[in-house]
Amino acid sequence: MALIRWYDRDLEPVGTFDWLQRQINDLFDFPRYPETQGLFDRRVSPAIDVIEHADSFTVECDLPGIDQKDIDISIASGVLTIKGEKRTEQKSEKRKVYKKETWEGNFQRTISLPSVVDADKVEASFSNGVLTVTLPKRDEDKDKRIELKSK
């Protein structure tokens, strides 16, 4: 008995969006293997996590192999945009690639922000290939505790 369901045609694991990805690939006639993937494939665009805290949101973006100077972060009209480029080594005649699963080239991720984000206080850091963007909430939008007074 298999613990993982497999898509027989390409031997790819079936996940939440895999069926939709295959349909989009078929619609636009993207090749399935090996180098080029589909329009919305996470293998050609970095993965992100958005986490809400009591006083802020945190966006974590995996950017392994990317230099800090190749990353551009901006906020406009309530949208966080992360752009960058993953550069590859120079190709040489002596180097022969047998299998390539990593992606390269330009990327862009956009995230709509809730209105409670204070865009003037946003901070970003980059460490060990992970970009972390901290989006603080405005003070007036944070939960406030109201003390109950007895008469």
Side-chain angles (χ1 to χ4, degrees):
M1 175 171 96
L3 297 176
I4 300 173
R5 289 179 46 208
W6 291 93
Y7 181 66
D8 294 334
R9 192 162 128 192
D10 293 329
L11 297 178
E12 295 178 358
V14 175
T16 307
F17 294 106
D18 285 343
W19 176 84
L20 178 60
Q21 179 65 55
R22 287 192 301 273
Q23 298 301 316
I24 291 171
N25 289 351
D26 290 344
L27 178 66
F28 290 102
D29 197 29
F30 284 116
R32 293 185 182 274
Y33 187 83
E35 311 301 332
T36 54
Q37 302 298 328
L39 187 61
F40 302 107
D41 198 330
R42 290 298 107 223
R43 289 174 278 196
V44 294
S45 183
I48 61 167
D49 294 330
V50 180
I51 302 129
E52 182 175 8
H53 307 281
D55 58 349
S56 66
F57 294 91
T58 303
V59 176
E60 294 177 350
C61 184
D62 290 338
L63 300 172
I66 298 177
D67 289 331
Q68 184 171 340
K69 65 180 178 54
D70 294 328
I71 302 169
D72 179 44
I73 307 163
S74 63
I75 294 180
S77 302
V79 176
L80 172 69
T81 302
I82 301 170
K83 295 180 188 177
E85 181 177 3
K86 183 175 181 183
R87 303 173 196 270
T88 59
E89 324 176 351
Q90 294 289 351
K91 297 184 174 149
S92 78
E93 296 294 323
K94 297 177 183 177
R95 182 176 168 216
K96 184 174 181 181
V97 178
Y98 287 97
K99 183 169 178 71
K100 182 166 177 59
E101 293 182 352
T102 58
W103 58 273
E104 59 190 50
N106 296 324
F107 68 89
Q108 177 175 321
R109 296 297 310 262
T110 57
I111 304 163
S112 295
L113 301 175
S115 61
V116 299
V117 169
D118 189 350
D120 295 329
K121 297 182 180 176
V122 173
E123 296 178 355
S125 63
F126 187 66
S127 177
N128 296 324
V130 178
L131 171 68
T132 303
V133 181
T134 304
L135 305 150
K137 294 179 182 177
R138 284 193 220 108
D139 289 332
E140 63 268 13
D141 290 324
K142 293 180 185 172
D143 292 338
K144 295 178 184 168
R145 180 141 174 89
I146 301 171
E147 187 176 328
L148 182 61
K149 298 178 183 177
S150 60
K151 291 186 178 184

PDB file of all heavy atoms in Angstrom, residues 86-117:
ATOM      1  N   LYS A  86      17.592  35.278  -9.898  1.00  0.00           N
ATOM      2  CA  LYS A  86      18.542  34.239  -9.503  1.00  0.00           C
ATOM      3  C   LYS A  86      19.449  34.002 -10.696  1.00  0.00           C
ATOM      4  O   LYS A  86      19.021  33.564 -11.753  1.00  0.00           O
ATOM      5  CB  LYS A  86      17.827  32.951  -9.121  1.00  0.00           C
ATOM      6  CG  LYS A  86      18.783  31.883  -8.644  1.00  0.00           C
ATOM      7  CD  LYS A  86      18.052  30.659  -8.155  1.00  0.00           C
ATOM      8  CE  LYS A  86      19.030  29.615  -7.667  1.00  0.00           C
ATOM      9  NZ  LYS A  86      18.372  28.396  -7.262  1.00  0.00           N
ATOM     10  N   ARG A  87      20.711  34.345 -10.499  1.00  0.00           N
ATOM     11  CA  ARG A  87      21.691  34.214 -11.574  1.00  0.00           C
ATOM     12  C   ARG A  87      22.374  32.856 -11.467  1.00  0.00           C
ATOM     13  O   ARG A  87      22.514  32.310 -10.383  1.00  0.00           O
ATOM     14  CB  ARG A  87      22.715  35.328 -11.478  1.00  0.00           C
ATOM     15  CG  ARG A  87      22.093  36.705 -11.519  1.00  0.00           C
ATOM     16  CD  ARG A  87      23.142  37.765 -11.248  1.00  0.00           C
ATOM     17  NE  ARG A  87      22.554  39.030 -10.917  1.00  0.00           N
ATOM     18  CZ  ARG A  87      22.239  39.971 -11.798  1.00  0.00           C
ATOM     19  NH1 ARG A  87      22.447  39.763 -13.074  1.00  0.00           N
ATOM     20  NH2 ARG A  87      21.719  41.115 -11.408  1.00  0.00           N
ATOM     21  N   THR A  88      22.813  32.350 -12.601  1.00  0.00           N
ATOM     22  CA  THR A  88      23.508  31.061 -12.610  1.00  0.00           C
ATOM     23  C   THR A  88      24.964  31.267 -12.993  1.00  0.00           C
ATOM     24  O   THR A  88      25.347  32.309 -13.501  1.00  0.00           O
ATOM     25  CB  THR A  88      22.861  30.091 -13.622  1.00  0.00           C
ATOM     26  OG1 THR A  88      22.907  30.685 -14.906  1.00  0.00           O
ATOM     27  CG2 THR A  88      21.436  29.782 -13.227  1.00  0.00           C
ATOM     28  N   GLU A  89      25.754  30.227 -12.756  1.00  0.00           N
ATOM     29  CA  GLU A  89      27.166  30.287 -13.134  1.00  0.00           C
ATOM     30  C   GLU A  89      27.279  30.318 -14.653  1.00  0.00           C
ATOM     31  O   GLU A  89      26.371  29.903 -15.366  1.00  0.00           O
ATOM     32  CB  GLU A  89      27.925  29.043 -12.666  1.00  0.00           C
ATOM     33  CG  GLU A  89      27.536  28.476 -11.378  1.00  0.00           C
ATOM     34  CD  GLU A  89      28.299  27.193 -11.077  1.00  0.00           C
ATOM     35  OE1 GLU A  89      29.014  26.650 -11.939  1.00  0.00           O
ATOM     36  OE2 GLU A  89      28.170  26.745  -9.961  1.00  0.00           O
ATOM     37  N   GLN A  90      28.423  30.755 -15.100  1.00  0.00           N
ATOM     38  CA  GLN A  90      28.680  30.730 -16.539  1.00  0.00           C
ATOM     39  C   GLN A  90      28.715  29.281 -17.014  1.00  0.00           C
ATOM     40  O   GLN A  90      29.279  28.418 -16.354  1.00  0.00           O
ATOM     41  CB  GLN A  90      30.027  31.399 -16.847  1.00  0.00           C
ATOM     42  CG  GLN A  90      30.047  32.869 -16.540  1.00  0.00           C
ATOM     43  CD  GLN A  90      29.210  33.671 -17.530  1.00  0.00           C
ATOM     44  OE1 GLN A  90      28.742  33.153 -18.538  1.00  0.00           O
ATOM     45  NE2 GLN A  90      29.003  34.931 -17.219  1.00  0.00           N
ATOM     46  N   LYS A  91      28.122  29.043 -18.153  1.00  0.00           N
ATOM     47  CA  LYS A  91      28.138  27.692 -18.708  1.00  0.00           C
ATOM     48  C   LYS A  91      29.489  27.439 -19.358  1.00  0.00           C
ATOM     49  O   LYS A  91      30.076  28.320 -19.959  1.00  0.00           O
ATOM     50  CB  LYS A  91      27.014  27.533 -19.715  1.00  0.00           C
ATOM     51  CG  LYS A  91      25.670  27.697 -19.058  1.00  0.00           C
ATOM     52  CD  LYS A  91      24.566  27.459 -20.015  1.00  0.00           C
ATOM     53  CE  LYS A  91      23.311  27.493 -19.201  1.00  0.00           C
ATOM     54  NZ  LYS A  91      22.163  27.885 -19.613  1.00  0.00           N
ATOM     55  N   SER A  92      29.964  26.231 -19.203  1.00  0.00           N
ATOM     56  CA  SER A  92      31.231  25.896 -19.839  1.00  0.00           C
ATOM     57  C   SER A  92      31.084  24.585 -20.598  1.00  0.00           C
ATOM     58  O   SER A  92      30.181  23.794 -20.341  1.00  0.00           O
ATOM     59  CB  SER A  92      32.342  25.790 -18.796  1.00  0.00           C
ATOM     60  OG  SER A  92      32.270  24.571 -18.119  1.00  0.00           O
ATOM     61  N   GLU A  93      31.988  24.369 -21.509  1.00  0.00           N
ATOM     62  CA  GLU A  93      31.972  23.150 -22.308  1.00  0.00           C
ATOM     63  C   GLU A  93      32.296  21.926 -21.456  1.00  0.00           C
ATOM     64  O   GLU A  93      31.862  20.832 -21.750  1.00  0.00           O
ATOM     65  CB  GLU A  93      32.978  23.270 -23.458  1.00  0.00           C
ATOM     66  CG  GLU A  93      32.640  24.369 -24.446  1.00  0.00           C
ATOM     67  CD  GLU A  93      31.362  24.083 -25.208  1.00  0.00           C
ATOM     68  OE1 GLU A  93      31.119  22.916 -25.536  1.00  0.00           O
ATOM     69  OE2 GLU A  93      30.604  25.031 -25.460  1.00  0.00           O
ATOM     70  N   LYS A  94      33.061  22.132 -20.379  1.00  0.00           N
ATOM     71  CA  LYS A  94      33.470  21.015 -19.537  1.00  0.00           C
ATOM     72  C   LYS A  94      32.372  20.565 -18.586  1.00  0.00           C
ATOM     73  O   LYS A  94      32.415  19.472 -18.055  1.00  0.00           O
ATOM     74  CB  LYS A  94      34.701  21.407 -18.721  1.00  0.00           C
ATOM     75  CG  LYS A  94      35.900  21.710 -19.586  1.00  0.00           C
ATOM     76  CD  LYS A  94      37.068  22.150 -18.740  1.00  0.00           C
ATOM     77  CE  LYS A  94      38.242  22.534 -19.623  1.00  0.00           C
ATOM     78  NZ  LYS A  94      39.359  23.037 -18.862  1.00  0.00           N
ATOM     79  N   ARG A  95      31.397  21.409 -18.372  1.00  0.00           N
ATOM     80  CA  ARG A  95      30.336  21.108 -17.413  1.00  0.00           C
ATOM     81  C   ARG A  95      29.132  20.522 -18.138  1.00  0.00           C
ATOM     82  O   ARG A  95      28.617  21.114 -19.078  1.00  0.00           O
ATOM     83  CB  ARG A  95      29.939  22.408 -16.715  1.00  0.00           C
ATOM     84  CG  ARG A  95      28.894  22.236 -15.690  1.00  0.00           C
ATOM     85  CD  ARG A  95      28.652  23.556 -14.993  1.00  0.00           C
ATOM     86  NE  ARG A  95      27.453  23.425 -14.206  1.00  0.00           N
ATOM     87  CZ  ARG A  95      26.574  24.366 -14.014  1.00  0.00           C
ATOM     88  NH1 ARG A  95      26.778  25.552 -14.528  1.00  0.00           N
ATOM     89  NH2 ARG A  95      25.517  24.162 -13.298  1.00  0.00           N
ATOM     90  N   LYS A  96      28.692  19.354 -17.689  1.00  0.00           N
ATOM     91  CA  LYS A  96      27.529  18.714 -18.302  1.00  0.00           C
ATOM     92  C   LYS A  96      26.492  18.467 -17.206  1.00  0.00           C
ATOM     93  O   LYS A  96      26.773  17.759 -16.240  1.00  0.00           O
ATOM     94  CB  LYS A  96      27.922  17.410 -18.968  1.00  0.00           C
ATOM     95  CG  LYS A  96      26.772  16.754 -19.694  1.00  0.00           C
ATOM     96  CD  LYS A  96      27.213  15.537 -20.461  1.00  0.00           C
ATOM     97  CE  LYS A  96      26.041  14.930 -21.183  1.00  0.00           C
ATOM     98  NZ  LYS A  96      26.423  13.738 -21.922  1.00  0.00           N
ATOM     99  N   VAL A  97      25.319  19.043 -17.352  1.00  0.00           N
ATOM    100  CA  VAL A  97      24.247  18.894 -16.366  1.00  0.00           C
ATOM    101  C   VAL A  97      23.415  17.667 -16.733  1.00  0.00           C
ATOM    102  O   VAL A  97      22.896  17.583 -17.847  1.00  0.00           O
ATOM    103  CB  VAL A  97      23.361  20.159 -16.325  1.00  0.00           C
ATOM    104  CG1 VAL A  97      22.223  19.975 -15.344  1.00  0.00           C
ATOM    105  CG2 VAL A  97      24.195  21.377 -15.963  1.00  0.00           C
ATOM    106  N   TYR A  98      23.283  16.731 -15.806  1.00  0.00           N
ATOM    107  CA  TYR A  98      22.499  15.524 -16.050  1.00  0.00           C
ATOM    108  C   TYR A  98      21.045  15.702 -15.662  1.00  0.00           C
ATOM    109  O   TYR A  98      20.152  15.151 -16.280  1.00  0.00           O
ATOM    110  CB  TYR A  98      23.091  14.338 -15.283  1.00  0.00           C
ATOM    111  CG  TYR A  98      24.378  13.851 -15.900  1.00  0.00           C
ATOM    112  CD1 TYR A  98      25.600  14.265 -15.402  1.00  0.00           C
ATOM    113  CD2 TYR A  98      24.372  12.989 -16.983  1.00  0.00           C
ATOM    114  CE1 TYR A  98      26.784  13.835 -15.966  1.00  0.00           C
ATOM    115  CE2 TYR A  98      25.538  12.552 -17.564  1.00  0.00           C
ATOM    116  CZ  TYR A  98      26.747  12.979 -17.048  1.00  0.00           C
ATOM    117  OH  TYR A  98      27.906  12.566 -17.618  1.00  0.00           O
ATOM    118  N   LYS A  99      20.807  16.472 -14.605  1.00  0.00           N
ATOM    119  CA  LYS A  99      19.446  16.730 -14.149  1.00  0.00           C
ATOM    120  C   LYS A  99      19.427  18.085 -13.481  1.00  0.00           C
ATOM    121  O   LYS A  99      20.316  18.406 -12.711  1.00  0.00           O
ATOM    122  CB  LYS A  99      18.993  15.655 -13.166  1.00  0.00           C
ATOM    123  CG  LYS A  99      17.564  15.830 -12.701  1.00  0.00           C
ATOM    124  CD  LYS A  99      17.112  14.607 -11.961  1.00  0.00           C
ATOM    125  CE  LYS A  99      15.717  14.717 -11.437  1.00  0.00           C
ATOM    126  NZ  LYS A  99      14.687  14.668 -12.438  1.00  0.00           N
ATOM    127  N   LYS A 100      18.433  18.907 -13.793  1.00  0.00           N
ATOM    128  CA  LYS A 100      18.334  20.241 -13.220  1.00  0.00           C
ATOM    129  C   LYS A 100      16.927  20.435 -12.677  1.00  0.00           C
ATOM    130  O   LYS A 100      15.966  20.427 -13.447  1.00  0.00           O
ATOM    131  CB  LYS A 100      18.658  21.308 -14.261  1.00  0.00           C
ATOM    132  CG  LYS A 100      18.618  22.706 -13.700  1.00  0.00           C
ATOM    133  CD  LYS A 100      19.267  23.667 -14.663  1.00  0.00           C
ATOM    134  CE  LYS A 100      19.191  25.086 -14.203  1.00  0.00           C
ATOM    135  NZ  LYS A 100      19.783  25.370 -12.938  1.00  0.00           N
ATOM    136  N   GLU A 101      16.815  20.593 -11.371  1.00  0.00           N
ATOM    137  CA  GLU A 101      15.524  20.814 -10.742  1.00  0.00           C
ATOM    138  C   GLU A 101      15.410  22.206 -10.142  1.00  0.00           C
ATOM    139  O   GLU A 101      14.334  22.598  -9.714  1.00  0.00           O
ATOM    140  CB  GLU A 101      15.267  19.766  -9.660  1.00  0.00           C
ATOM    141  CG  GLU A 101      15.102  18.374 -10.227  1.00  0.00           C
ATOM    142  CD  GLU A 101      14.791  17.339  -9.166  1.00  0.00           C
ATOM    143  OE1 GLU A 101      14.855  17.664  -7.968  1.00  0.00           O
ATOM    144  OE2 GLU A 101      14.480  16.209  -9.549  1.00  0.00           O
ATOM    145  N   THR A 102      16.509  22.934 -10.070  1.00  0.00           N
ATOM    146  CA  THR A 102      16.462  24.284  -9.528  1.00  0.00           C
ATOM    147  C   THR A 102      16.038  25.258 -10.614  1.00  0.00           C
ATOM    148  O   THR A 102      16.197  24.987 -11.799  1.00  0.00           O
ATOM    149  CB  THR A 102      17.836  24.701  -8.972  1.00  0.00           C
ATOM    150  OG1 THR A 102      18.811  24.605 -10.011  1.00  0.00           O
ATOM    151  CG2 THR A 102      18.240  23.820  -7.805  1.00  0.00           C
ATOM    152  N   TRP A 103      15.511  26.383 -10.214  1.00  0.00           N
ATOM    153  CA  TRP A 103      15.062  27.380 -11.173  1.00  0.00           C
ATOM    154  C   TRP A 103      16.061  28.524 -11.225  1.00  0.00           C
ATOM    155  O   TRP A 103      16.890  28.689 -10.351  1.00  0.00           O
ATOM    156  CB  TRP A 103      13.667  27.885 -10.817  1.00  0.00           C
ATOM    157  CG  TRP A 103      13.550  28.476  -9.448  1.00  0.00           C
ATOM    158  CD1 TRP A 103      13.296  27.811  -8.291  1.00  0.00           C
ATOM    159  CD2 TRP A 103      13.705  29.851  -9.088  1.00  0.00           C
ATOM    160  NE1 TRP A 103      13.281  28.680  -7.238  1.00  0.00           N
ATOM    161  CE2 TRP A 103      13.525  29.944  -7.703  1.00  0.00           C
ATOM    162  CE3 TRP A 103      13.970  31.011  -9.801  1.00  0.00           C
ATOM    163  CZ2 TRP A 103      13.606  31.157  -7.017  1.00  0.00           C
ATOM    164  CZ3 TRP A 103      14.047  32.215  -9.123  1.00  0.00           C
ATOM    165  CH2 TRP A 103      13.855  32.274  -7.752  1.00  0.00           C
ATOM    166  N   GLU A 104      15.952  29.313 -12.271  1.00  0.00           N
ATOM    167  CA  GLU A 104      16.825  30.470 -12.444  1.00  0.00           C
ATOM    168  C   GLU A 104      16.065  31.530 -13.216  1.00  0.00           C
ATOM    169  O   GLU A 104      15.057  31.244 -13.853  1.00  0.00           O
ATOM    170  CB  GLU A 104      18.097  30.082 -13.187  1.00  0.00           C
ATOM    171  CG  GLU A 104      17.838  29.495 -14.545  1.00  0.00           C
ATOM    172  CD  GLU A 104      19.076  28.894 -15.176  1.00  0.00           C
ATOM    173  OE1 GLU A 104      19.760  28.101 -14.524  1.00  0.00           O
ATOM    174  OE2 GLU A 104      19.338  29.238 -16.333  1.00  0.00           O
ATOM    175  N   GLY A 105      16.553  32.775 -13.129  1.00  0.00           N
ATOM    176  CA  GLY A 105      15.935  33.868 -13.857  1.00  0.00           C
ATOM    177  C   GLY A 105      15.225  34.841 -12.940  1.00  0.00           C
ATOM    178  O   GLY A 105      15.421  34.846 -11.725  1.00  0.00           O
ATOM    179  N   ASN A 106      14.382  35.682 -13.538  1.00  0.00           N
ATOM    180  CA  ASN A 106      13.647  36.698 -12.793  1.00  0.00           C
ATOM    181  C   ASN A 106      12.414  36.109 -12.135  1.00  0.00           C
ATOM    182  O   ASN A 106      11.825  35.157 -12.647  1.00  0.00           O
ATOM    183  CB  ASN A 106      13.212  37.829 -13.736  1.00  0.00           C
ATOM    184  CG  ASN A 106      14.396  38.567 -14.311  1.00  0.00           C
ATOM    185  OD1 ASN A 106      15.397  38.758 -13.642  1.00  0.00           O
ATOM    186  ND2 ASN A 106      14.280  38.973 -15.557  1.00  0.00           N
ATOM    187  N   PHE A 107      12.018  36.707 -11.017  1.00  0.00           N
ATOM    188  CA  PHE A 107      10.789  36.311 -10.348  1.00  0.00           C
ATOM    189  C   PHE A 107      10.131  37.540  -9.760  1.00  0.00           C
ATOM    190  O   PHE A 107      10.764  38.577  -9.572  1.00  0.00           O
ATOM    191  CB  PHE A 107      11.045  35.268  -9.257  1.00  0.00           C
ATOM    192  CG  PHE A 107      11.817  35.803  -8.091  1.00  0.00           C
ATOM    193  CD1 PHE A 107      11.163  36.383  -7.010  1.00  0.00           C
ATOM    194  CD2 PHE A 107      13.199  35.753  -8.065  1.00  0.00           C
ATOM    195  CE1 PHE A 107      11.879  36.898  -5.945  1.00  0.00           C
ATOM    196  CE2 PHE A 107      13.925  36.246  -6.997  1.00  0.00           C
ATOM    197  CZ  PHE A 107      13.258  36.828  -5.932  1.00  0.00           C
ATOM    198  N   GLN A 108       8.845  37.418  -9.476  1.00  0.00           N
ATOM    199  CA  GLN A 108       8.102  38.472  -8.786  1.00  0.00           C
ATOM    200  C   GLN A 108       6.964  37.831  -8.022  1.00  0.00           C
ATOM    201  O   GLN A 108       6.233  37.007  -8.569  1.00  0.00           O
ATOM    202  CB  GLN A 108       7.545  39.495  -9.780  1.00  0.00           C
ATOM    203  CG  GLN A 108       6.707  40.562  -9.118  1.00  0.00           C
ATOM    204  CD  GLN A 108       6.253  41.631 -10.087  1.00  0.00           C
ATOM    205  OE1 GLN A 108       7.000  42.031 -10.953  1.00  0.00           O
ATOM    206  NE2 GLN A 108       5.022  42.091  -9.936  1.00  0.00           N
ATOM    207  N   ARG A 109       6.818  38.177  -6.756  1.00  0.00           N
ATOM    208  CA  ARG A 109       5.696  37.723  -5.934  1.00  0.00           C
ATOM    209  C   ARG A 109       4.994  38.957  -5.398  1.00  0.00           C
ATOM    210  O   ARG A 109       5.645  39.900  -4.949  1.00  0.00           O
ATOM    211  CB  ARG A 109       6.169  36.876  -4.744  1.00  0.00           C
ATOM    212  CG  ARG A 109       6.839  35.561  -5.077  1.00  0.00           C
ATOM    213  CD  ARG A 109       5.943  34.559  -5.801  1.00  0.00           C
ATOM    214  NE  ARG A 109       4.659  34.320  -5.201  1.00  0.00           N
ATOM    215  CZ  ARG A 109       4.354  33.298  -4.403  1.00  0.00           C
ATOM    216  NH1 ARG A 109       5.269  32.415  -4.098  1.00  0.00           N
ATOM    217  NH2 ARG A 109       3.152  33.153  -3.913  1.00  0.00           N
ATOM    218  N   THR A 110       3.679  38.985  -5.456  1.00  0.00           N
ATOM    219  CA  THR A 110       2.904  40.098  -4.917  1.00  0.00           C
ATOM    220  C   THR A 110       1.909  39.565  -3.897  1.00  0.00           C
ATOM    221  O   THR A 110       1.353  38.479  -4.070  1.00  0.00           O
ATOM    222  CB  THR A 110       2.153  40.861  -6.022  1.00  0.00           C
ATOM    223  OG1 THR A 110       1.314  39.955  -6.720  1.00  0.00           O
ATOM    224  CG2 THR A 110       3.111  41.508  -6.996  1.00  0.00           C
ATOM    225  N   ILE A 111       1.717  40.345  -2.837  1.00  0.00           N
ATOM    226  CA  ILE A 111       0.808  39.951  -1.766  1.00  0.00           C
ATOM    227  C   ILE A 111      -0.050  41.159  -1.419  1.00  0.00           C
ATOM    228  O   ILE A 111       0.486  42.229  -1.100  1.00  0.00           O
ATOM    229  CB  ILE A 111       1.580  39.506  -0.505  1.00  0.00           C
ATOM    230  CG1 ILE A 111       2.534  38.379  -0.849  1.00  0.00           C
ATOM    231  CG2 ILE A 111       0.640  39.112   0.613  1.00  0.00           C
ATOM    232  CD1 ILE A 111       3.593  38.150   0.187  1.00  0.00           C
ATOM    233  N   SER A 112      -1.362  41.020  -1.468  1.00  0.00           N
ATOM    234  CA  SER A 112      -2.261  42.088  -1.032  1.00  0.00           C
ATOM    235  C   SER A 112      -2.217  42.163   0.482  1.00  0.00           C
ATOM    236  O   SER A 112      -2.336  41.150   1.164  1.00  0.00           O
ATOM    237  CB  SER A 112      -3.694  41.813  -1.487  1.00  0.00           C
ATOM    238  OG  SER A 112      -3.767  41.841  -2.886  1.00  0.00           O
ATOM    239  N   LEU A 113      -2.045  43.371   0.985  1.00  0.00           N
ATOM    240  CA  LEU A 113      -1.917  43.566   2.429  1.00  0.00           C
ATOM    241  C   LEU A 113      -3.235  44.033   3.032  1.00  0.00           C
ATOM    242  O   LEU A 113      -3.965  44.806   2.403  1.00  0.00           O
ATOM    243  CB  LEU A 113      -0.828  44.602   2.722  1.00  0.00           C
ATOM    244  CG  LEU A 113       0.566  44.270   2.207  1.00  0.00           C
ATOM    245  CD1 LEU A 113       1.503  45.445   2.462  1.00  0.00           C
ATOM    246  CD2 LEU A 113       1.095  43.012   2.867  1.00  0.00           C
ATOM    247  N   PRO A 114      -3.526  43.610   4.255  1.00  0.00           N
ATOM    248  CA  PRO A 114      -4.719  44.126   4.928  1.00  0.00           C
ATOM    249  C   PRO A 114      -4.527  45.604   5.263  1.00  0.00           C
ATOM    250  O   PRO A 114      -3.395  46.091   5.379  1.00  0.00           O
ATOM    251  CB  PRO A 114      -4.826  43.273   6.194  1.00  0.00           C
ATOM    252  CG  PRO A 114      -3.545  42.568   6.337  1.00  0.00           C
ATOM    253  CD  PRO A 114      -2.828  42.608   5.035  1.00  0.00           C
ATOM    254  N   SER A 115      -5.621  46.312   5.434  1.00  0.00           N
ATOM    255  CA  SER A 115      -5.550  47.757   5.675  1.00  0.00           C
ATOM    256  C   SER A 115      -4.908  48.109   7.012  1.00  0.00           C
ATOM    257  O   SER A 115      -4.513  49.250   7.216  1.00  0.00           O
ATOM    258  CB  SER A 115      -6.951  48.358   5.597  1.00  0.00           C
ATOM    259  OG  SER A 115      -7.783  47.781   6.588  1.00  0.00           O
ATOM    260  N   VAL A 116      -4.761  47.146   7.917  1.00  0.00           N
ATOM    261  CA  VAL A 116      -4.191  47.434   9.237  1.00  0.00           C
ATOM    262  C   VAL A 116      -2.672  47.564   9.218  1.00  0.00           C
ATOM    263  O   VAL A 116      -2.072  47.973  10.198  1.00  0.00           O
ATOM    264  CB  VAL A 116      -4.596  46.366  10.280  1.00  0.00           C
ATOM    265  CG1 VAL A 116      -6.099  46.322  10.443  1.00  0.00           C
ATOM    266  CG2 VAL A 116      -4.052  45.008   9.914  1.00  0.00           C
ATOM    267  N   VAL A 117      -2.018  47.241   8.101  1.00  0.00           N
ATOM    268  CA  VAL A 117      -0.560  47.294   8.026  1.00  0.00           C
ATOM    269  C   VAL A 117      -0.089  48.736   7.967  1.00  0.00           C
ATOM    270  O   VAL A 117      -0.612  49.550   7.201  1.00  0.00           O
ATOM    271  CB  VAL A 117      -0.043  46.505   6.799  1.00  0.00           C
ATOM    272  CG1 VAL A 117       1.432  46.764   6.562  1.00  0.00           C
ATOM    273  CG2 VAL A 117      -0.301  45.024   6.986  1.00  0.00           C
TER     274      VAL A 117
END
